[in-house]
């Protein structure tokens, strides 16, 4: 039985489900059954655009590790895709003398195969519990939080209600529930116009709080990069991508990538609640510029003149405001007493 059939049966028997349940089930199936990246997949991430992205993130971590006194450390990546970012980051970290053990938080067997081909010495875990509790943590999460389930609250004439997913035959569609949620809406948003949508991400907050606790206890830093905003704020950002085109997020659950913009300010506050130090958000373009992407572009172009135009195009795609430069943002989470990561001062 397909995932769509299983969800339709569950909704028929028990009634509408939350958007978080629908999104969680859809993405779990989607990522477990395919490699979604690249021209043949559904979308392309920054590490797949250029080696410079991973190299600069790695150099930023190595610089921080050096300024922190070169402690014993572990490289940890959440949702490492094909392992491209890790391979590039670890190569540049090694050049700076930082060669930590590597741990990937990944549940997809398909993607684990890709990661093993690029980083053969990696170890895998399904969540943070599987990461050893000794050594400082040097953590990267690039386009990880956007795929975690969200809840949506909708302002109606009768107050704030949760968006649910119903099913008619094999057609999934959003509806509004009848339970009130006004008390949990931030006061400055409660009187938003009818039709306004507020998104929350309980799973993302829980993961961030757990990660922050570990960083406070063990030392280290986490760099989180995703497309997002500083909220809480009004807006429906749920989207689905298939074959590099936007599609209806309620169609074909499990066969397309469901994501939502990440409230990076709320993640930063979640980390502070665990006594971690949060830096940012900063724009991806500003971060990569501070880490030296222009110098790296020039160096690669000098070594490979025939690639110079392509390298500049890749640089622009990562940095410029009309491309990924301002849509994608970053925060850094550090243990108390650790230096400020480069690009976040």
């Amino acid at each position: 039985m397909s995932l769509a059939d299983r969800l339709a049966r569950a909704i028929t028997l028990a009634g509408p489900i939350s958007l978080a349940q629908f999104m969680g089930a859809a993405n779990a199936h989607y990522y477990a059954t395919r490699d979604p990246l690249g021209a043949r997949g559904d979308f392309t991430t920054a590490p797949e655009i250029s080696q410079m992205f991973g190299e600069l993130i790695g150099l930023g971590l190595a610089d921080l590790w050096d300024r922190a006194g070169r402690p014993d450390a572990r490289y940890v990546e959440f949702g490492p895709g094909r392992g491209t970012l890790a391979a590039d980051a670890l190569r540049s970290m090694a050049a700076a003398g930082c060669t930590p053990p590597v741990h990937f938080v990944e549940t997809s067997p398909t993607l684990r195969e890709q990661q093993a081909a690029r980083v053969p010495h990696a170890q895998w875990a399904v969540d943070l519990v599987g990461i050893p509790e000794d050594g400082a943590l040097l953590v990267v999460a690039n386009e990880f939080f956007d795929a975690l389930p969200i809840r949506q609250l909708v302002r109606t004439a009768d107050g704030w209600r949760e968006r649910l997913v119903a099913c008619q035959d094999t057609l999934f569609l959003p509806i509004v529930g009848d339970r009130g949620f006004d008390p949990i809406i931030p006061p400055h948003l409660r009187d938003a116009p009818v039709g306004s949508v507020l998104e929350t991400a309980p799973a993302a907050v829980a993961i961030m709080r757990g990660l922050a606790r570990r960083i406070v206890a063990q030392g280290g830093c986490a760099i989180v990069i995703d497309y997002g905003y500083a909220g809480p704020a009004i807006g429906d950002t749920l989207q689905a991508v298939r074959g590099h085109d936007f599609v209806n997020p309620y169609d074909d659950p499990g066969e397309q990538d469901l994501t939502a913009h990440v409230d990076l300010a709320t993640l930063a506050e979640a980390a502070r609640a665990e006594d971690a130090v949060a830096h940012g958000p900063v724009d991806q373009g500003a971060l990569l510029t501070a880490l030296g992407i222009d110098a790296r572009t020039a160096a690669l172009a000098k070594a490979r003149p025939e690639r110079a135009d392509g390298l500049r195009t890749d640089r622009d795609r990562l940095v410029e405001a009309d491309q990924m430069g301002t849509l994608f943002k970053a925060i850094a989470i550090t243990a108390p007493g650790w230096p400020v990561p480069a690009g976040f001062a």
Side-chain angles (χ1 to χ4, degrees):
M1 183 183 295
S2 70
L3 175 64
D5 289 338
R6 294 199 303 272
L7 285 172
R9 179 177 175 81
I11 292 171
T12 299
L13 291 174
I17 61 175
S18 70
L19 175 59
Q21 290 174 285
F22 180 83
M23 185 175 178
N27 276 353
H29 178 84
Y30 175 81
Y31 282 101
T33 55
R34 74 206 69 210
D35 173 3
L37 295 161
R40 296 184 180 181
D42 293 323
F43 57 90
T44 300
T45 59
E48 304 294 334
I49 292 170
S50 172
Q51 69 186 69
M52 294 186 289
F53 183 86
E55 289 173 345
L56 293 172
I57 297 302
L59 286 174
L61 289 175
D63 168 71
L64 182 66
W65 167 80
D66 181 67
R67 289 187 285 126
R70 299 196 164 206
D72 290 339
R74 299 178 181 277
Y75 177 92
V76 180
E77 188 168 341
F78 282 75
R82 291 173 169 171
T84 305
L85 190 161
D88 293 335
L90 292 165
R91 184 177 61 254
S92 62
M93 292 169 73
C98 183
T99 56
V102 179
H103 302 269
F104 290 154
V105 178
E106 179 62 73
T107 59
S108 167
T110 301
L111 290 174
R112 283 190 179 193
E113 289 182 8
Q114 297 265 7
Q115 294 154 15
R118 290 170 175 81
V119 189
H121 57 289
Q123 301 176 59
W124 285 266
V126 298
D127 55 30
L128 194 59
V129 175
I131 305 301
E133 297 184 7
D134 60 316
L137 302 179
L138 303 176
V139 181
V140 178
N142 179 63
E143 292 198 54
F144 168 77
F145 283 95
D146 64 90
L148 296 178
I150 63 164
R151 297 174 70 183
Q152 287 187 336
L153 302 175
V154 183
R155 176 74 157 88
T156 72
D158 299 318
W160 288 89
R161 302 291 186 265
E162 184 170 17
R163 177 164 286 165
L164 306 175
V165 179
C167 184
Q168 295 180 352
D169 298 322
T170 58
L171 177 66
F172 296 93
L173 67 161
I175 64 169
V176 175
D178 55 11
R179 180 183 172 191
F181 284 85
D182 294 66
I184 70 169
I185 304 298
H188 69 287
L189 298 178
R190 286 178 187 168
D191 294 328
V194 170
S196 298
V197 175
L198 176 66
E199 296 177 343
T200 66
V205 168
I207 289 172
M208 176 54 78
R209 293 193 67 162
L211 177 58
R213 284 194 296 271
R214 293 287 296 271
I215 287 175
V216 169
Q218 295 175 234
C221 172
I223 305 295
V224 175
I225 304 171
D226 231 311
Y227 51 91
Y229 59 98
I234 295 297
D236 180 353
T237 72
L238 178 69
Q239 62 187 36
V241 174
R242 189 171 189 174
H244 299 268
D245 287 326
F246 291 106
V247 292
N248 186 334
Y250 299 98
D251 288 346
D252 299 322
E255 302 304 321
Q256 54 199 22
D257 180 44
L258 297 183
T259 64
H261 288 213
V262 178
D263 180 356
L264 290 159
T266 292
L267 289 186
E269 285 302 316
R272 293 186 184 106
E274 300 295 338
D275 297 322
V277 181
H279 312 269
V282 300
D283 290 343
Q284 175 177 292
L287 175 62
L288 294 177
T289 299
L291 291 175
I293 194 169
D294 292 324
R296 185 57 178 153
T297 303
L300 290 172
K302 183 177 180 180
R304 297 284 300 275
E306 74 280 6
R307 293 185 55 208
D309 289 344
L311 287 163
R312 284 190 285 268
T313 297
D314 293 343
R315 177 264 177 210
D316 291 348
R317 187 171 176 188
L318 294 172
V319 168
E320 293 301 320
D322 60 349
Q323 300 191 55
M324 298 175 72
T326 56
L327 174 62
F328 284 75
K329 303 182 188 301
I331 57 173
I333 309 301
T334 57
W338 269 59
V340 178
F344 291 91

